[in-house]
Amino acid sequence: MQMGNYSAVNEFFLIGLSQYPELQLFLFVLCLIMYAMILLGNSFLIIICILDSHLHTPMYFFLGNLSFLDICYTSSSIPPMLVMLVSERKSISFIGCISLGLGSTECVLLAVMAYDRYVAICNPLRYPIIMNKALYVHMAAWSWIIGCLNSLVQTVLTMVLPFCGNNVIDHLTCEILALLKLICSEITINVLIMTVASIVLLVIPLLLIFISYVFILSSILRINSTEGRKKAFSTCSAHLTVVILFYGSALFMYMKPKSKDTKASDEIIGLSYGVVTPMLNPIIYSLRNKEVKEAVKKILSKQLHLLRM
């Protein structure tokens, strides 16, 4: 990429956490194990949602999308990071550094899932009518479209700017916030668009989730039976746990004051929402969801029966 008098940048060097060389091998092994768990756990959850007809509902359709999203998101970032951790040169090509982050897609999808739980608990009799197939398929599709467009716009606007020959990224991945620090031209538009995107795709979905759960909690407290309240809350607890994990790390990463900007914390938090949360999602939904556990038992018992024949 040649621009004016600026020297071209053909590759980048990722030196994240290089000040802790003793952690390189440990992080490689840890991230490799977590990536394997992400692939296995989320793939297993998708298969369960497809095979069991009782899980062919809007809630599990969104859950399948979330699992597929986590697989795509981590597969575009973790493998290059693993290579960087064990490589001596730690370089990545300019083209290789261009990847679509799908974090904003997950923000929208989690808000959509919160709306689904709101309708299911606050309007149970009208739930099949409101959350019809056409609506929930369109909601999932628009979550993907909005998230991908946001990522595409931010990535393109960053990569067309001049890097002035500075190609050392103090991060584990080609994270946009780290790339912007290498730009030697005006980045006001980039910062403005990122701020607006953070408000629209991070803060607003979180606010909608909060409002949904206020109504959900109000409806649960009006349920007379203890068993009914427990059952209603169990359908939301897994989603709420995932929301806290994802939004907690994402808000810290993108909305923290500049005075709190530290390289080590950025990298650790980046690992949290980029690796740890996608790994925990299928575990949380499996352990805290009775329907998923019953579906797993049913499929396993069917397979055992076939083996005995």
Side-chain angles (χ1 to χ4, degrees):
M1 180 179 69
Q2 191 74 31
M3 290 192 176
N5 296 324
Y6 299 123
S7 57
V9 172
N10 297 315
E11 63 179 354
F12 293 99
F13 292 91
L14 300 171
I15 60 169
L17 295 178
S18 58
Q19 65 271 38
Y20 307 107
E22 66 280 359
L23 289 178
Q24 298 291 311
L25 182 59
F26 171 75
L27 282 175
F28 173 81
V29 174
L30 182 63
C31 290
L32 181 61
I33 293 172
M34 289 193 292
Y35 182 51
M37 293 178 65
I38 289 169
L39 294 180
L40 291 173
N42 285 288
S43 298
F44 183 72
L45 205 52
I46 292 172
I47 293 171
I48 292 296
C49 291
I50 293 173
L51 293 180
D52 194 306
S53 59
H54 293 94
L55 301 184
H56 293 175
T57 62
M59 174 182 172
Y60 293 102
F61 176 77
F62 293 135
L63 180 56
N65 274 265
L66 180 63
S67 294
F68 182 67
L69 172 63
D70 284 340
I71 291 174
C72 295
Y73 177 67
T74 54
S75 294
S76 67
S77 59
I78 296 180
M81 182 180 66
L82 292 174
V83 174
M84 293 302 109
L85 287 172
V86 295
S87 171
E88 291 185 3
R89 197 161 185 267
K90 301 187 182 302
S91 65
I92 185 171
S93 67
F94 184 88
I95 298 299
C97 213
I98 301 176
S99 62
L100 291 180
L102 298 172
S104 53
T105 303
E106 186 156 350
C107 292
V108 180
L109 193 56
L110 288 173
V112 167
M113 294 173 74
Y115 174 75
D116 172 70
R117 291 300 84 205
Y118 158 75
V119 177
I121 293 176
C122 299
N123 296 282
L125 297 179
R126 299 186 62 213
Y127 179 74
I129 301 173
I130 297 175
M131 293 301 296
N132 57 76
K133 187 174 182 179
L135 177 63
Y136 68 73
V137 169
H138 277 85
M139 291 172 77
W142 276 108
S143 297
W144 283 91
I145 293 170
I146 292 170
C148 289
L149 282 177
N150 169 64
S151 178
L152 180 63
V153 169
Q154 294 200 35
T155 300
V156 170
L157 287 178
T158 299
M159 301 309 282
V160 298
L161 292 175
F163 288 89
C164 308
N166 186 5
N167 61 349
V168 178
I169 302 175
D170 196 357
H171 207 277
L172 291 169
T173 61
C174 294
E175 220 278 339
I176 286 184
L177 288 177
L179 283 171
L180 285 175
K181 295 176 183 179
L182 306 183
I183 304 296
C184 58
S185 65
E186 183 61 48
I187 59 170
T188 304
I189 294 178
N190 300 73
V191 173
L192 178 62
I193 291 176
M194 185 170 289
T195 302
V196 172
S198 295
I199 294 173
V200 174
L201 299 177
L202 191 63
V203 177
I204 292 180
L206 181 59
L207 181 61
L208 293 175
I209 291 171
F210 176 77
I211 293 172
S212 296
Y213 273 100
V214 168
F215 285 106
I216 288 171
L217 182 60
S218 176
S219 295
I220 291 176
L221 292 177
R222 288 200 299 268
I223 298 175
N224 294 325
S225 68
T226 304
E227 186 63 28
R229 287 197 297 269
K230 184 179 178 180
K231 183 179 179 181
F233 184 75
S234 67
T235 64
C236 302
S237 59
H239 174 260
L240 188 57
T241 303
V242 171
V243 166
I244 293 171
L245 286 173
F246 178 81
Y247 276 97
S249 55
L251 284 172
F252 183 90
M253 185 71 177
Y254 290 98
M255 304 297 288
K256 67 180 183 300
K258 287 292 182 182
S259 59
K260 300 294 184 182
D261 185 33
T262 59
K263 296 174 183 177
S265 67
D266 279 356
E267 291 161 11
I268 298 301
I269 295 298
L271 283 176
S272 174
Y273 80 82
V275 182
V276 178
T277 303
M279 179 193 68
L280 292 178
N281 284 354
I283 297 174
I284 292 169
Y285 276 104
S286 298
L287 294 178
R288 306 195 64 175
N289 192 301
K290 185 178 179 181
E291 291 177 321
V292 172
K293 287 189 284 188
E294 289 179 351
V296 172
K297 291 178 182 178
K298 189 188 303 181
I299 292 172
L300 289 177
S301 63
K302 188 180 295 184
Q303 293 300 316
L304 288 173
H305 178 70
L306 291 174
L307 289 173
R308 289 171 183 171
M309 291 178 64

